[in-house]
Protein backbone atom coordinates (compact mmCIF):
# COMPACT_ATOMS: atom_id res chain seq x y z
CA UNK A 1 0.00 0.00 0.00
CA UNK A 2 2.81 2.41 0.88
CA UNK A 3 4.47 1.73 -2.47
CA UNK A 4 1.27 2.70 -4.29
CA UNK A 5 0.90 5.83 -2.12
CA UNK A 6 4.48 6.79 -2.97
CA UNK A 7 3.79 6.34 -6.68
CA UNK A 8 0.62 8.45 -6.51
CA UNK A 9 2.46 11.00 -4.38
CA UNK A 10 5.10 11.39 -7.10
CA UNK A 11 2.34 11.96 -9.62
CA UNK A 12 0.73 14.56 -7.33
CA UNK A 13 4.08 16.33 -6.96
CA UNK A 14 4.68 16.30 -10.71
CA UNK A 15 1.25 17.86 -11.34
CA UNK A 16 1.77 20.50 -8.67
CA UNK A 17 5.29 21.43 -9.85
CA UNK A 18 4.05 21.60 -13.45
CA UNK A 19 1.28 23.99 -12.42
CA UNK A 20 3.73 26.16 -10.46
CA UNK A 21 6.04 26.37 -13.47
CA UNK A 22 3.24 27.51 -15.79
CA UNK A 23 3.07 31.00 -14.33
CA UNK A 24 1.21 33.14 -11.82
CA UNK A 25 -1.16 31.47 -9.40
CA UNK A 26 -4.85 32.45 -9.70
CA UNK A 27 -6.11 34.48 -6.76
CA UNK A 28 -9.29 32.47 -6.17
CA UNK A 29 -7.93 28.96 -6.58
CA UNK A 30 -4.45 27.81 -5.63
CA UNK A 31 -2.18 25.53 -7.62
CA UNK A 32 -2.58 23.07 -4.76
CA UNK A 33 -6.37 23.01 -5.20
CA UNK A 34 -6.04 22.62 -8.97
CA UNK A 35 -3.62 19.72 -8.46
CA UNK A 36 -6.19 18.04 -6.18
CA UNK A 37 -8.86 18.40 -8.86
CA UNK A 38 -6.56 16.94 -11.52
CA UNK A 39 -5.81 13.99 -9.22
CA UNK A 40 -9.57 13.41 -8.91
CA UNK A 41 -9.87 13.36 -12.71
CA UNK A 42 -6.99 10.89 -13.02
CA UNK A 43 -8.48 8.62 -10.37
CA UNK A 44 -11.81 8.52 -12.16
CA UNK A 45 -10.16 7.87 -15.52
CA UNK A 46 -8.50 4.84 -13.91
CA UNK A 47 -11.50 3.47 -12.03
CA UNK A 48 -14.49 4.29 -14.25
CA UNK A 49 -13.71 1.46 -16.70
CA UNK A 50 -13.53 -0.86 -13.68
CA UNK A 51 -16.82 0.50 -12.38
CA UNK A 52 -18.47 -0.14 -15.75
CA UNK A 53 -17.27 -3.76 -15.71
CA UNK A 54 -18.49 -4.18 -12.14
CA UNK A 55 -21.91 -2.76 -13.11
CA UNK A 56 -22.17 -5.23 -15.99
CA UNK A 57 -21.31 -8.09 -13.63
CA UNK A 58 -24.05 -6.96 -11.24
CA UNK A 59 -26.55 -6.73 -14.09
CA UNK A 60 -25.63 -10.26 -15.15
CA UNK A 61 -26.30 -11.59 -11.66
CA UNK A 62 -29.63 -9.76 -11.39
CA UNK A 63 -30.80 -11.00 -14.79
CA UNK A 64 -30.37 -14.57 -13.57
CA UNK A 65 -32.04 -13.97 -10.20
CA UNK A 66 -35.56 -15.04 -11.31
CA UNK A 67 -34.22 -18.41 -12.49
CA UNK A 68 -32.36 -18.87 -9.21
CA UNK A 69 -35.57 -18.13 -7.30
CA UNK A 70 -37.29 -20.84 -9.33
CA UNK A 71 -34.54 -23.29 -8.37
CA UNK A 72 -35.10 -22.39 -4.71
CA UNK A 73 -38.79 -23.18 -5.04
CA UNK A 74 -38.10 -26.44 -6.81
CA UNK A 75 -35.23 -27.77 -4.70
CA UNK A 76 -35.71 -25.85 -1.46
CA UNK A 77 -36.62 -29.02 0.39
CA UNK A 78 -32.94 -30.11 0.32
CA UNK A 79 -30.24 -27.45 0.85
CA UNK A 80 -27.46 -29.65 -0.50
CA UNK A 81 -29.27 -30.36 -3.75
CA UNK A 82 -30.25 -26.70 -4.04
CA UNK A 83 -26.66 -25.53 -3.64
CA UNK A 84 -25.54 -27.99 -6.29
CA UNK A 85 -28.21 -26.90 -8.75
CA UNK A 86 -27.49 -23.20 -8.16
CA UNK A 87 -23.76 -23.76 -8.67
CA UNK A 88 -24.41 -25.69 -11.88
CA UNK A 89 -26.74 -22.95 -13.14
CA UNK A 90 -24.24 -20.18 -12.34
CA UNK A 91 -21.44 -22.11 -14.02
CA UNK A 92 -23.52 -22.64 -17.16
CA UNK A 93 -24.30 -18.92 -17.35
CA UNK A 94 -20.85 -17.70 -16.25
CA UNK A 95 -22.52 -15.90 -13.33
CA UNK A 96 -19.99 -17.01 -10.74
CA UNK A 97 -17.16 -15.54 -12.79
CA UNK A 98 -19.06 -12.29 -13.21
CA UNK A 99 -19.63 -11.99 -9.47
CA UNK A 100 -15.99 -12.77 -8.73
CA UNK A 101 -14.91 -10.15 -11.26
CA UNK A 102 -17.10 -7.55 -9.59
CA UNK A 103 -15.60 -8.32 -6.16
CA UNK A 104 -12.03 -8.11 -7.46
CA UNK A 105 -12.77 -4.79 -9.13
CA UNK A 106 -14.24 -3.40 -5.90
CA UNK A 107 -11.15 -4.52 -3.96
CA UNK A 108 -8.85 -2.92 -6.54
CA UNK A 109 -10.75 0.36 -6.37
CA UNK A 110 -10.63 0.29 -2.56
CA UNK A 111 -6.86 -0.21 -2.62
CA UNK A 112 -6.43 2.79 -4.93
CA UNK A 113 -8.75 4.93 -2.76
CA UNK A 114 -6.84 4.12 0.45
CA UNK A 115 -3.45 4.78 -1.16
CA UNK A 116 -4.58 8.04 -2.71
CA UNK A 117 -6.27 9.25 0.47
CA UNK A 118 -2.96 8.78 2.30
CA UNK A 119 -1.38 11.22 -0.17
CA UNK A 120 -4.14 13.80 0.25
CA UNK A 121 -4.11 13.46 4.05
CA UNK A 122 -0.35 14.24 4.26
CA UNK A 123 0.42 16.29 1.14
CA UNK A 124 3.63 17.85 2.48
CA UNK A 125 5.18 14.41 2.80
CA UNK A 126 4.79 13.86 -0.93
CA UNK A 127 4.97 17.35 -2.44
CA UNK A 128 8.21 18.55 -0.86
CA UNK A 129 11.58 17.24 0.28
CA UNK A 130 10.86 19.07 3.53
CA UNK A 131 7.24 18.26 4.51
CA UNK A 132 7.05 21.49 6.51
CA UNK A 133 7.18 23.48 3.27
CA UNK A 134 3.49 22.68 2.78
CA UNK A 135 2.74 25.52 5.22
CA UNK A 136 4.50 28.01 2.93
CA UNK A 137 2.20 27.59 -0.08
CA UNK A 138 -1.30 28.84 -0.83
CA UNK A 139 -4.03 26.27 -0.33
CA UNK A 140 -7.13 28.35 -0.96
CA UNK A 141 -10.18 27.39 -3.00
CA UNK A 142 -12.63 30.26 -3.53
CA UNK A 143 -14.40 30.71 -0.16
CA UNK A 144 -12.02 28.30 1.62
CA UNK A 145 -8.80 30.02 2.66
CA UNK A 146 -6.94 26.85 3.60
CA UNK A 147 -7.88 23.37 2.34
CA UNK A 148 -6.04 21.82 5.28
CA UNK A 149 -8.83 23.17 7.51
CA UNK A 150 -12.54 22.38 7.56
CA UNK A 151 -14.93 24.31 5.33
CA UNK A 152 -15.45 27.61 7.21
CA UNK A 153 -19.16 27.62 6.34
CA UNK A 154 -19.53 24.26 8.07
CA UNK A 155 -21.87 22.85 5.43
CA UNK A 156 -21.32 23.96 1.79
CA UNK A 157 -18.65 21.46 0.71
CA UNK A 158 -19.99 18.57 2.87
CA UNK A 159 -23.48 19.21 1.46
CA UNK A 160 -22.17 19.23 -2.12
CA UNK A 161 -20.46 15.92 -1.41
CA UNK A 162 -23.65 14.35 -0.02
CA UNK A 163 -25.82 15.58 -2.90
CA UNK A 164 -23.37 14.34 -5.53
CA UNK A 165 -23.08 11.01 -3.69
CA UNK A 166 -26.85 10.63 -3.88
CA UNK A 167 -26.77 11.42 -7.60
CA UNK A 168 -24.05 8.82 -8.19
CA UNK A 169 -26.03 6.20 -6.24
CA UNK A 170 -29.24 7.06 -8.09
CA UNK A 171 -27.60 6.72 -11.50
CA UNK A 172 -25.95 3.48 -10.43
CA UNK A 173 -29.30 2.07 -9.28
CA UNK A 174 -30.90 3.03 -12.59
CA UNK A 175 -28.15 1.33 -14.57
CA UNK A 176 -28.16 -1.93 -12.62
CA UNK A 177 -31.95 -2.20 -12.59
CA UNK A 178 -32.56 -3.22 -9.00
CA UNK A 179 -35.54 -5.57 -8.76
CA UNK A 180 -35.81 -7.36 -5.43
CA UNK A 181 -37.06 -5.68 -2.26
CA UNK A 182 -33.86 -6.53 -0.40
CA UNK A 183 -31.72 -4.99 -3.14
CA UNK A 184 -33.89 -1.88 -3.17
CA UNK A 185 -33.52 -1.55 0.59
CA UNK A 186 -29.73 -1.82 0.32
CA UNK A 187 -29.61 0.69 -2.52
CA UNK A 188 -31.82 3.14 -0.62
CA UNK A 189 -29.49 2.93 2.37
CA UNK A 190 -26.52 3.66 0.12
CA UNK A 191 -28.39 6.44 -1.67
CA UNK A 192 -29.65 8.28 1.41
CA UNK A 193 -28.15 6.86 4.60
CA UNK A 194 -24.45 6.99 3.70
CA UNK A 195 -24.48 10.53 2.23
CA UNK A 196 -26.33 11.85 5.30
CA UNK A 197 -23.79 10.19 7.60
CA UNK A 198 -20.88 11.52 5.53
CA UNK A 199 -22.32 15.04 5.71
CA UNK A 200 -21.81 15.16 9.47
CA UNK A 201 -18.44 13.37 9.31
CA UNK A 202 -17.04 15.62 6.56
CA UNK A 203 -18.04 18.83 8.36
CA UNK A 204 -15.04 18.41 10.65
CA UNK A 205 -12.59 17.00 8.07
CA UNK A 206 -10.01 19.11 6.20
CA UNK A 207 -11.65 20.58 3.11
CA UNK A 208 -8.98 19.20 0.74
CA UNK A 209 -10.09 15.55 0.81
CA UNK A 210 -13.75 16.62 0.68
CA UNK A 211 -13.08 18.77 -2.40
CA UNK A 212 -11.36 15.79 -3.98
CA UNK A 213 -14.41 13.56 -3.38
CA UNK A 214 -16.85 16.17 -4.69
CA UNK A 215 -14.82 16.54 -7.89
CA UNK A 216 -14.71 12.76 -8.33
CA UNK A 217 -18.47 12.48 -7.78
CA UNK A 218 -19.18 15.17 -10.38
CA UNK A 219 -16.98 13.42 -12.95
CA UNK A 220 -18.74 10.11 -12.29
CA UNK A 221 -22.16 11.78 -12.63
CA UNK A 222 -21.16 13.21 -16.01
CA UNK A 223 -19.82 9.87 -17.25
CA UNK A 224 -22.84 7.88 -16.03
CA UNK A 225 -25.21 10.51 -17.40
CA UNK A 226 -23.60 10.27 -20.83
CA UNK A 227 -23.59 6.48 -20.65
Amino acid sequence: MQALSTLLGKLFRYIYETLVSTGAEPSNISHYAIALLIMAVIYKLITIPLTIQSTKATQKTQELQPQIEELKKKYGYDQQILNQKVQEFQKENNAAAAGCSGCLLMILQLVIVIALFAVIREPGKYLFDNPGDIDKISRNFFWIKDLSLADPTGFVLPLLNSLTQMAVAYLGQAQTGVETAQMKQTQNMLMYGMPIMFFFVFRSLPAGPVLYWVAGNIIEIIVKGIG
Side-chain angles (χ1 to χ4, degrees), residues 116-136:
L116 191 52
F117 193 75
V119 176
I120 299 173
R121 189 178 65 249
E122 299 180 283
K125 177 180 176 182
Y126 299 93
L127 285 181
F128 304 102
D129 295 330
N130 177 14
D133 288 345
I134 188 68
D135 295 325
K136 301 177 182 179

Side-chain angles (χ1 to χ4, degrees), residues 48-63 94-95 97-99 101-102 105 172 175-176:
I48 280 177
L50 304 179
T51 302
I52 292 173
Q53 292 184 39
S54 180
T55 299
K56 290 180 178 179
T58 302
Q59 288 175 329
K60 176 72 173 178
T61 301
Q62 291 178 359
E63 288 171 1
N94 205 29
S101 173
L105 292 172
Q175 289 179 345
T176 54

Side-chain angles (χ1 to χ4, degrees), residues 110 113 117 150-151 154-169 188-207 209-211 213-214 217:
L110 181 60
V113 166
F117 193 75
D151 183 340
F155 72 92
V156 173
L157 207 54
L159 181 60
L160 284 174
N161 178 74
S162 295
L163 292 176
T164 52
Q165 270 189 310
M166 289 181 184
V168 169
N188 286 335
M189 184 192 71
L190 293 174
M191 187 185 300
Y192 301 111
M194 297 298 288
I196 292 172
M197 181 187 72
F198 281 136
F199 170 76
F200 293 101
V201 172
F202 284 5
R203 289 185 65 187
S204 59
L205 285 184
V210 185
L211 174 64
W213 288 119
V214 171
N217 289 340

Side-chain angles (χ1 to χ4, degrees), residues 4-177:
L4 182 56
S5 293
T6 300
L7 178 63
L8 294 173
K10 289 181 178 179
L11 175 61
F12 191 26
R13 181 169 182 168
Y14 173 78
I15 294 170
Y16 176 77
E17 291 179 344
T18 300
L19 289 169
V20 171
S21 66
T22 58
E25 188 171 40
S27 59
N28 291 328
I29 179 170
S30 61
H31 286 144
Y32 175 78
I34 297 173
L36 272 180
L37 296 175
I38 293 175
M39 287 293 287
V41 172
I42 291 174
Y43 168 71
K44 285 302 177 181
L45 289 176
I46 294 173
T47 59
I48 280 177
L50 304 179
T51 302
I52 292 173
Q53 292 184 39
S54 180
T55 299
K56 290 180 178 179
T58 302
Q59 288 175 329
K60 176 72 173 178
T61 301
Q62 291 178 359
E63 288 171 1
L64 299 176
Q65 194 61 36
Q67 291 93 318
I68 293 177
E69 291 299 324
E70 288 298 321
L71 290 175
K72 289 180 179 179
K73 292 178 182 179
K74 187 174 182 179
Y75 300 103
Y77 62 88
D78 190 312
Q79 190 64 41
Q80 185 175 353
I81 296 176
L82 174 61
N83 291 339
Q84 181 181 347
K85 294 295 182 180
V86 169
Q87 289 174 7
E88 290 175 355
F89 176 75
Q90 290 178 329
K91 186 176 181 180
E92 290 172 0
N93 292 274
N94 205 29
C100 182
S101 173
C103 291
L104 290 175
L105 292 172
M106 289 179 65
I107 292 172
L108 178 58
Q109 290 182 66
L110 181 60
V111 169
I112 295 174
V113 166
I114 294 173
L116 191 52
F117 193 75
V119 176
I120 299 173
R121 189 178 65 249
E122 299 180 283
K125 177 180 176 182
Y126 299 93
L127 285 181
F128 304 102
D129 295 330
N130 177 14
D133 288 345
I134 188 68
D135 295 325
K136 301 177 182 179
I137 67 171
S138 298
R139 288 176 287 180
N140 63 298
F141 176 78
F142 294 102
W143 73 94
I144 303 171
K145 293 182 178 180
D146 188 345
L147 287 171
S148 67
L149 304 176
D151 183 340
T153 66
F155 72 92
V156 173
L157 207 54
L159 181 60
L160 284 174
N161 178 74
S162 295
L163 292 176
T164 52
Q165 270 189 310
M166 289 181 184
V168 169
Y170 175 79
L171 290 172
Q173 181 177 358
Q175 289 179 345
T176 54

